[in-house]
Amino acid sequence: MPDYGICSLKLKIILLAIIPLVVVITVISLMFFLGSIDLAKEQRRIIKENIMAEKKYELQSYVNIAMYSINHIINVNEDKEEAKEHVKTLLNNMRFDSDGYFFVYTMDGTNILHPMLPEIQGKNVWHVKDKNGKQVIKELTAIAKNGGGFFQYCWNKPSVNKDMPKIGYVVSLPEWGWMVGSGIYIDDIDEEIKNFNDQVTNSFNNTFVRVMIVTIISISMIILFILSINISEKKLADKKLKELTQRIVDLQEAERARVARELHDGINQLLVCIKYSLEAAKEHVNKKSAAEQELQCGIQRLDEAIQEIRRISRDLRPSLLDHLGLFPALEALCRDFSRRTNIDVRYIAVDNLRLASEVETTLYRIAQEALTNVERHANATQVRLWFKVNKLALMMYIEDNGQGILSSHQSNGTAITDVYRGVGLRNMRERIGYHGGEMLIDTKTHNGTKITIKLPLLSIQEAA
């Protein structure tokens, strides 16, 4: 079952590493964005003021040029009416940009010249208001009387035929009682500010994306780092567990060998001595007495006990495995198994191949466990055990023609039970895994079971 305490601890470690980073990045990002917003507002204000200043300087320059152009007419021409017509003609023909022109009004609001609105010429427009309610001519006249200056209002823009914001600059012509001026439309300022806002917004968005990418990369690196530590610890734990498992197996084998020696050299020898004593006593009793039959029966039972102890001793630790190696020991195991169970065992060994001692013990125990399972569960009549060797691996196959590994859940006749659920099979898998090998089990209901053991050859061969 999963260890929820460990999982919870790992999650807490990840959160403790990630949350401070996210908080710091969030605070820094928030401070950056708030500062950027204030900076953008200040930049917009400065840009607007600079553009307005440039527009005013440009407009003032146009009016000064126009005044310079008409001054010589005013000062030289003695015919006042002729001079006025000359000035009107000159100003009417002067243009700048696409919508720039000059206008002339008397100080009481009567239009003298308006190139774009000739229909108002000669009319008094003193009380004309723009869409914001400003009395444009009245205000401009007052500014001109005070020495000239700027005034912002809305007026029809010829190129689009709509009222647009405009800056006007007017001066007085006291000789004739005129107000002369011009204006520049400033709706393009709003467009420039809008473009600036779009650039700032795009910059914010790009910065936000970069911050998010950096955050995601940082979090991913932290998670990968923690996971790598976890994987390293898990590998180390698995390695130690395998070493512990093998140590236990080695201890078990040593204990099996000790018990086998004790049975063979101790109890078995005592039983053999008792058998010999009984056989000697049998020779001295009257052959016709009933005691002879009892002695004969006891000798037979004692002989059976001796054979059973010898079998147990061989199963615990066969001497052939220590002296002759894996393949002769397996041959004896298959022969004894076939004789005891009447199951036909076909065994094919590999000649001239010695493996490391612990590997030979592992393969012998796996074969022993597999044959025991066949005897107990398979209902088989035939078993095949054979080996194949190539340059890379040693393959051991154990196949029977029994009923397969049964399960209560089946699909298309194939048993889908967890074959590693049994203790014996799990021990087989752990033993083979310690040596870097793998175990595969192929089983189908009523079609037998095939166990395949694969071991890398270079790591399991006996050192020279």
Side-chain angles (χ1 to χ4, degrees):
M1 295 179 64
D3 192 335
Y4 295 105
I6 294 177
C7 293
S8 177
L9 179 60
K10 292 177 182 176
L11 179 61
K12 289 178 181 177
I13 293 174
I14 293 175
L15 292 178
L16 285 175
I18 292 175
I19 290 177
L21 175 65
V22 174
V23 171
V24 170
I25 292 178
T26 302
V27 171
I28 294 175
S29 301
L30 184 61
M31 293 175 62
F32 170 77
F33 287 128
L34 292 177
S36 299
I37 290 173
D38 293 337
L39 180 62
K41 289 181 180 179
E42 183 65 17
Q43 286 179 333
R44 282 195 294 269
R45 184 186 66 79
I46 294 173
I47 290 173
K48 188 171 184 179
E49 289 179 356
N50 290 337
I51 294 175
M52 289 292 288
E54 291 177 3
K55 294 282 187 183
K56 287 180 179 181
Y57 178 78
E58 181 183 358
L59 177 60
Q60 188 176 12
S61 298
Y62 289 144
V63 174
N64 290 338
I65 291 172
M67 294 302 295
Y68 179 79
S69 300
I70 65 175
N71 275 337
H72 71 284
I73 300 174
I74 297 172
N75 296 328
V76 174
N77 200 329
E78 296 181 356
D79 189 342
K80 193 175 184 179
E81 293 301 324
E82 182 181 351
K84 287 182 178 180
E85 291 298 325
H86 191 184
V87 168
K88 288 170 60 178
T89 302
L90 182 63
L91 292 176
N92 188 61
N93 293 328
M94 294 181 70
R95 295 284 190 278
F96 57 91
D97 295 334
S98 59
D99 295 297
Y101 57 88
F102 294 91
F103 54 80
V104 180
Y105 290 87
T106 64
M107 291 301 178
D108 62 356
T110 301
N111 179 262
I112 301 299
L113 172 68
H114 198 300
M116 298 294 107
L117 297 173
E119 64 273 12
I120 68 171
Q121 187 172 339
K123 295 181 180 179
N124 189 288
V125 289
W126 183 262
H127 298 292
V128 170
K129 297 180 180 180
D130 69 359
K131 64 180 181 179
N132 295 321
K134 295 180 180 180
Q135 291 182 320
V136 178
I137 306 304
K138 182 179 178 179
E139 297 290 342
L140 289 173
T141 303
I143 292 172
K145 287 179 180 180
N146 290 328
F150 297 96
F151 179 65
Q152 185 172 337
Y153 58 97
C154 289
W155 199 261
N156 183 270
K157 186 175 184 179
S159 61
V160 295
N161 196 25
K162 288 183 179 180
D163 287 347
M164 293 293 180
K166 184 177 185 179
I167 297 176
Y169 180 74
V170 292
V171 295
S172 64
L173 195 60
E175 293 88 349
W176 296 344
W178 285 4
M179 172 187 68
V180 179
S182 183
I184 292 180
Y185 292 95
I186 58 174
D187 54 299
D188 57 337
I189 295 179
D190 294 334
E191 186 65 26
E192 291 185 28
I193 297 297
K194 181 178 180 300
N195 292 335
F196 174 76
N197 287 337
D198 292 340
Q199 293 177 358
V200 171
T201 301
N202 291 333
S203 178
F204 282 175
N205 292 336
N206 293 334
T207 303
F208 178 76
V209 170
R210 293 190 188 100
V211 170
M212 290 301 298
I213 291 174
V214 171
T215 302
I216 292 172
I217 291 175
S218 301
I219 292 174
S220 300
M221 290 179 66
I222 291 174
I223 293 175
L224 289 175
F225 178 71
I226 294 175
L227 289 178
S228 65
I229 294 176
N230 182 45
I231 291 172
S232 299
E233 291 178 349
K234 186 176 183 301
K235 288 182 177 178
L236 181 61
D238 290 342
K239 181 180 178 181
K240 290 183 177 179
L241 181 60
K242 287 182 178 180
E243 291 176 352
L244 178 61
T245 301
Q246 185 61 29
R247 198 172 302 144
I248 293 173
V249 170
D250 293 341
L251 290 174
Q252 288 177 343
E253 291 297 327
E255 183 64 16
R256 284 169 179 250
R258 187 189 67 80
V259 173
R261 287 194 301 271
E262 292 293 336
L263 288 174
H264 184 271
D265 299 336
I267 298 176
N268 190 59
Q269 297 303 321
L270 289 175
L271 292 177
V272 169
C273 290
I274 294 172
K275 177 185 175 183
Y276 289 157
S277 297
L278 290 176
E279 288 179 345
K282 176 185 173 184
E283 295 295 330
H284 292 89
V285 298
N286 186 356
K287 293 185 178 180
K288 295 183 179 180
S289 66
E292 180 185 4
Q293 294 181 355
E294 294 298 330
L295 286 172
Q296 182 64 33
C297 182
I299 291 171
Q300 290 178 354
R301 295 292 182 268
L302 193 58
D303 190 55
E304 291 175 359
I306 292 171
Q307 296 301 323
E308 183 65 17
I309 289 175
R310 287 176 176 172
R311 185 190 66 80
I312 294 172
S313 177
R314 284 197 306 271
D315 289 344
L316 285 172
R317 184 66 186 182
S319 59
L320 286 176
L321 187 61
D322 294 325
H323 299 111
L324 299 180
L326 172 65
F327 300 107
L330 285 178
E331 183 178 2
L333 175 66
C334 294
R335 184 172 57 249
D336 292 344
F337 176 82
S338 181
R339 183 173 59 247
R340 188 181 71 255
T341 62
N342 292 322
I343 297 175
D344 182 27
V345 180
R346 299 182 181 180
Y347 170 70
I348 303 175
V350 177
D351 296 331
N352 301 322
L353 178 64
R354 286 304 302 264
L355 307 175
S357 175
E358 62 272 15
V359 177
E360 291 191 337
T361 300
T362 295
L363 293 176
Y364 182 85
R365 294 304 179 195
I366 289 174
Q368 193 176 42
E369 180 68 28
L371 292 176
T372 301
N373 288 338
V374 170
E375 179 182 4
R376 291 177 180 176
H377 310 296
N379 293 329
T381 60
Q382 188 178 86
V383 178
R384 294 176 61 210
L385 194 158
W386 75 100
F387 290 85
K388 287 184 179 179
V389 181
N390 55 38
K391 294 181 179 179
L392 299 177
L394 169 69
M395 310 290 291
M396 182 174 78
Y397 303 93
I398 306 171
E399 184 177 13
D400 66 69
N401 63 348
Q403 63 186 3
I405 299 178
L406 298 178
S407 170
S408 58
H409 304 283
Q410 298 176 355
S411 175
N412 298 328
T414 302
I416 57 173
T417 187
D418 184 1
V419 297
Y420 300 119
R421 192 164 50 191
V423 176
L425 292 174
R426 185 171 64 249
N427 290 341
M428 292 163 64
R429 180 171 174 261
E430 290 177 355
R431 281 174 177 266
I432 208 67
Y434 175 78
H435 301 290
E438 58 180 335
M439 181 177 76
L440 303 175
I441 298 180
D442 183 18
T443 179
K444 291 185 178 180
T445 305
H446 306 305
N447 286 293
T449 301
K450 181 178 181 180
I451 299 175
T452 301
I453 305 296
K454 182 178 180 180
L455 282 170
L457 193 60
L458 294 178
S459 62
I460 63 174
Q461 284 186 299
E462 188 180 36

